[in-house]
Structure formats: structure tokens, C-alpha cells
């Protein structure tokens, strides 16, 4: 599942950032070769030919690439400037039997979503929509694949004492049922070359993910993990927070510069929604 010190760091990070409501022994963490690896293996675990999966429309191409070879039905859920629309998701599921694809494919049991700084749309789901989506997942028995690599790249809002801007509550923080598989990445805040990601979720699902890791690649690069551990140990919590604040500031400057260029050259010709994260 990863170097013990790195796993311990990640568990503490998840407790601090998300406070998973289930007992500590009911959830676990597995390190993978980037979060894309965890997403692909989780799709292998949860989906079979003839299944359907719900995704945002538009959807991250990397997820589509992992899903399409499995022979499942990819069902797009409408979005707007606020991200995935809960009412549209509910309508799709409750009206499934009347859909043309219902005869060939089973009703979706899985939702894949990028709730923060969505790729490619740039939208971020507000907390009210997240809670509405989780209630629908409870009602209609969905597993939520929460792909959140941009969680720490919050660009708007007031910074806390550490200087870090916090975003809306995550699906993991709401998961009283054990129906959320969350995917985090160190690529966006440390180094994409490390190829280190990690999944957090119900222990039975994480156990299966670890077995898949062992059969496919044995483990994520020990050198990359050791480098990350050494850096995180040197920083400590204050250093980590200071680094996240500086990364947020960097991306905020880039976002603001791009928006100023758009205003200067595209005003009246195009419409856009400023991204609040990513």
C-alpha cells in the first residue's frame, strides 16, 4: 500500500483535511503510480461489461480512456457553471427504465466526478450540490469516485491561519456509508515526475485495489516514495502548509493574468466563468 511513513502521513492528512466520519478501522489508503493508476484500477474493480457509469459532461479524457475499453455504457450528466447538476443526475437514474440504452445496459451504480477545478471545464461543485449528490447516492445506491487532484489548488476565498485557502467539504468528509473512493495526487503540488497518487476509501475496496497493484506492478516506485517522505519529513506540517499557500498563489497569478488577457482580447466575443480552483 506504500511506505509505512508515507501512508501514516497520508492518513493524518486525510484526518486533518476531511475528518472521515467512519471509524478509523473502516477506511484505508493505498499509494499508486499516480492517481490515474488508482482510477483505472478502481474502474476495473467496480465495472463489468454491460454496466453503466455516470460521468460529468464534459468528462476528463483520461477517465474516458480508462473506462471505454471495459465495454461499459458511459452516461454523461449535464453540468453548468456550478458543475454537475444534482437534479439531472436524479432524473437519469429515476427514469432509467425509459431510456433507450436500458435494454442493453444495467442502471449505473457508479458516479465518476472531479468536484474541484474540473478538467476540462474548470468548475467547482459547491458544498450544497455535493451534499445533494451524496443524498442521491444514498437513495439510489451509488459508489462515488471522487477524483480530486486539484483539491489543494483553491484560488478564491479567505486564507486560514496557515495561509491556505480551503475549499468546499469533500465527498469523503460526508461518507457515513462507505460509498466514496477518493483519489488524491502529489503531482500538482510536489512533482508530476514522482508519479505518486493515493486512494482513500472503504477498507474492503482498498484491499482489492492493493491486490490489483501487487499483481500488476508490485508497488509504486520506492525511490519516488522515499524522496517524498524525506521532503515531507523535512518540511513538517508548517512547511507543507507554507508550500501549499505558495502553490496556490502561483496558480492564482496565472489564472488572473489569463483572465485579464481574455478581458482585453475576447470581451464581447466569448463568454467564460473564472475557475475558482485548479
Amino acid at each position: 500500500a506504500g511506505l509505512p511513513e508515507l501512508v501514516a502521513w497520508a492518513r493524518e492528512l486525510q484526518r486533518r483535511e476531511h475528518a472521515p466520519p467512519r471509524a478509523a478501522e473502516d477506511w484505508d489508503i493505498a499509494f499508486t503510480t499516480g492517481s490515474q493508476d488508482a482510477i483505472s484500477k478502481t474502474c476495473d474493480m467496480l465495472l463489468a461489461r454491460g454496466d453503466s457509469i455516470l460521468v460529468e459532461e464534459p468528462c476528463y479524457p483520461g477517465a474516458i480512456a480508462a473506462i471505454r475499453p471495459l465495454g461499459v455504457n458511459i452516461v454523461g450528466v449535464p453540468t453548468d457553471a456550478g458543475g454537475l447538476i444534482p437534479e439531472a443526475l436524479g432524473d437519469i437514474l429515476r427514469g432509467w427504465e425509459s431510456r433507450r440504452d436500458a435494454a442493453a445496459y444495467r442502471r449505473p451504480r457508479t458516479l465518476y466526478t472531479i468536484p474541484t477545478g474540473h478538467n476540462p471545464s474548470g468548475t467547482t461543485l459547491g458544498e450544497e450540490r455535493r451534499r445533494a449528490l451524496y443524498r442521491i447516492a444514498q437513495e439510489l445506491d451509488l459508489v462515488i469516485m471522487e477524483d480530486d487532484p486539484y483539491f489543494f489548488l483553491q484560488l478564491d476565498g479567505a486564507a486560514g491561519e496557515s495561509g491556505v485557502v480551503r475549499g468546499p467539504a469533500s465527498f469523503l468528509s460526508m461518507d457515513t456509508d462507505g460509498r466514496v473512493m477518493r483519489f488524491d495526487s502529489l503531482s500538482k503540488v510536489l512533482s508530476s515526475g514522482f508519479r505518486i497518487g493515493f486512494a482513500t476509501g472503504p477498507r474492503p475496496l482498498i484491499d482489492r485495489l492493493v491486490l490489483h497493484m501487487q499483481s500488476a506492478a508490485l508497488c509504486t516506485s520506492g525511490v519516488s516514495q522515499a524522496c517524498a517522505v524525506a521532503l515531507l519529513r523535512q518540511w513538517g506540517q508548517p512547511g507543507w502548509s507554507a508550500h501549499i499557500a505558495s502553490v496556490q498563489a502561483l496558480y492564482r497569478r496565472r489564472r488572473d493574468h489569463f483572465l485579464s488577457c481574455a478581458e482585453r482580447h475576447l470581451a464581447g466575443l466569448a463568454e467564460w466563468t473564472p475557475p475558482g480552483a485548479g
Side-chain angles (χ1 to χ4, degrees), residues 41-162:
K41 286 179 168 56
T42 299
C43 287
D44 289 344
M45 173 173 59
L46 296 178
L47 301 172
R49 188 172 296 276
D51 283 343
S52 299
I53 183 171
L54 297 156
V55 303
E56 287 135 332
E57 197 170 61
C59 181
Y60 168 50
I64 296 295
I67 296 166
R68 196 177 298 282
L70 301 177
V72 303
N73 183 28
I74 301 173
V75 182
V77 182
T79 61
D80 59 16
L84 193 152
I85 302 171
E87 294 79 8
L89 176 72
D91 289 345
I92 289 171
L93 290 171
R94 296 186 184 97
W96 184 258
E97 297 306 323
S98 64
R99 290 174 58 95
R100 287 183 299 175
D101 46 2
Y105 294 98
R106 291 178 284 275
R107 183 176 76 82
R109 299 172 297 173
T110 306
L111 167 66
Y112 169 80
T113 177
I114 301 178
T116 305
H118 181 269
N119 180 357
S121 71
T123 60
T124 294
L125 276 171
E127 184 169 338
E128 184 177 346
R129 284 197 180 188
R130 297 184 192 215
R131 294 196 179 279
L133 287 166
Y134 190 81
R135 288 194 295 270
I136 292 172
Q138 289 180 305
E139 175 192 349
L140 299 172
D141 197 20
L142 287 177
V143 172
I144 298 176
M145 293 176 61
E146 181 179 26
D147 184 9
D148 215 1
Y150 313 109
F151 172 77
F152 288 106
L153 303 185
Q154 303 289 338
L155 306 181
D156 294 327
E161 292 183 7
S162 64

Side-chain angles (χ1 to χ4, degrees), residues 256-277:
D256 292 347
H257 176 70
F258 192 91
L259 288 175
S260 68
C261 292
E263 290 285 355
R264 187 179 310 119
H265 299 291
L266 297 175
L269 301 175
E271 296 180 359
W272 57 86
T273 299

